Amino acid sequence: VLCSILKGTYANNLAPYFEAHMNQLRLPENTPIGEVIYTLKGIDPEGSPVKYGIKGTDKLSVDSISGDVTVIQKIDRETRNDVSDNEIRLTVTVEDEVKGDEGRTANLVQVPISVIILDVNDNPPVFRGTPYKASIPEDTPVGSTIFQGIEVTDVDLTGDVLDVACMDKDGYVPDDCDHFEIVARTRETDHDMFRGTIK
């Protein structure tokens, strides 16, 4: 972790440092707004009070006195403006207090950190290439493939393997689904992609 001193450090005025700065904190993307997710802890070698700050994100804020870090906006892992490479990159700061009029300036220490955003299964799967249409003769043999292009994607990294099923639709012949089977191409199907055929 890199640290930099932005203001001058004078004799007998040592810079504060972080004892806890939340680098690599793992945070689910559905963490509620208003929840305290971490408490920063900074120490001044001379025992002066310190105050905290956060820069580089509009999703989190910090109480300058207590160091409590709070979620202030919804976090969405799938939104590129929110998260880059599954992380929120930001900077936390700790600044000491200089008392009296001794010509000394406060020390401001900055630490760049990454908060890892954990995926939650919060997006529905989406069919690609719809609508699907196929015409078949009524004497098509059982077991024949009548459509090969079913494709479903899911932007979430978590969740079960995708599954597609036939459902009867109101207003159509009942039990139509009894005549057809949807078969997954197993080598091309996972939690984020389904490819299959109708037989």
Side-chain angles (χ1 to χ4, degrees), residues 48-183:
S48 296
V50 297
K51 60 182 179 180
Y52 304 96
I54 281 182
K55 301 190 297 185
T57 181
D58 61 356
K59 304 299 178 186
L60 307 173
S61 69
V62 64
D63 184 292
S64 63
I65 304 303
S66 70
D68 288 346
V69 179
T70 304
V71 176
I72 58 172
Q73 286 193 32
K74 182 180 183 296
I75 299 170
D76 185 2
R77 188 195 66 86
E78 289 77 34
T79 301
R80 295 297 96 185
N81 291 338
D82 285 3
V83 180
S84 176
D85 298 325
N86 300 323
E87 295 180 337
I88 294 178
R89 297 183 181 94
L90 54 104
T91 300
V92 293
T93 65
V94 60
E95 184 176 8
D96 60 7
E97 181 179 303
V98 177
K99 296 181 178 180
D101 186 15
E102 303 172 7
R104 297 185 300 174
T105 58
N107 296 296
L108 178 65
V109 175
Q110 296 189 112
V111 178
I113 67 166
S114 295
V115 175
I116 300 169
I117 304 303
L118 302 177
D119 189 29
V120 174
N121 191 18
D122 60 348
N123 293 281
V126 176
F127 283 93
R128 296 174 63 178
T130 57
Y132 300 142
K133 294 182 179 181
S135 298
I136 59 170
E138 63 179 339
D139 60 350
T140 300
V142 172
S144 299
T145 296
I146 61 171
F147 187 79
Q148 298 188 54
I150 297 177
E151 190 169 292
V152 182
T153 59
D154 190 341
V155 296
D156 292 315
L157 297 176
T158 60
D160 295 332
V161 173
L162 289 176
D163 185 33
V164 174
C166 181
M167 294 180 63
D168 289 317
K169 187 173 181 179
D170 291 341
Y172 286 74
V173 178
D175 303 323
D176 270 349
C177 288
D178 292 346
H179 301 284
F180 303 101
E181 180 183 14
I182 299 173
V183 181

Side-chain angles (χ1 to χ4, degrees), residues 2-17:
L2 301 175
C3 297
S4 61
I5 311 301
L6 293 190
K7 297 183 180 178
T9 301
Y10 291 80
N12 301 321
N13 185 22
L14 301 175
Y17 60 89

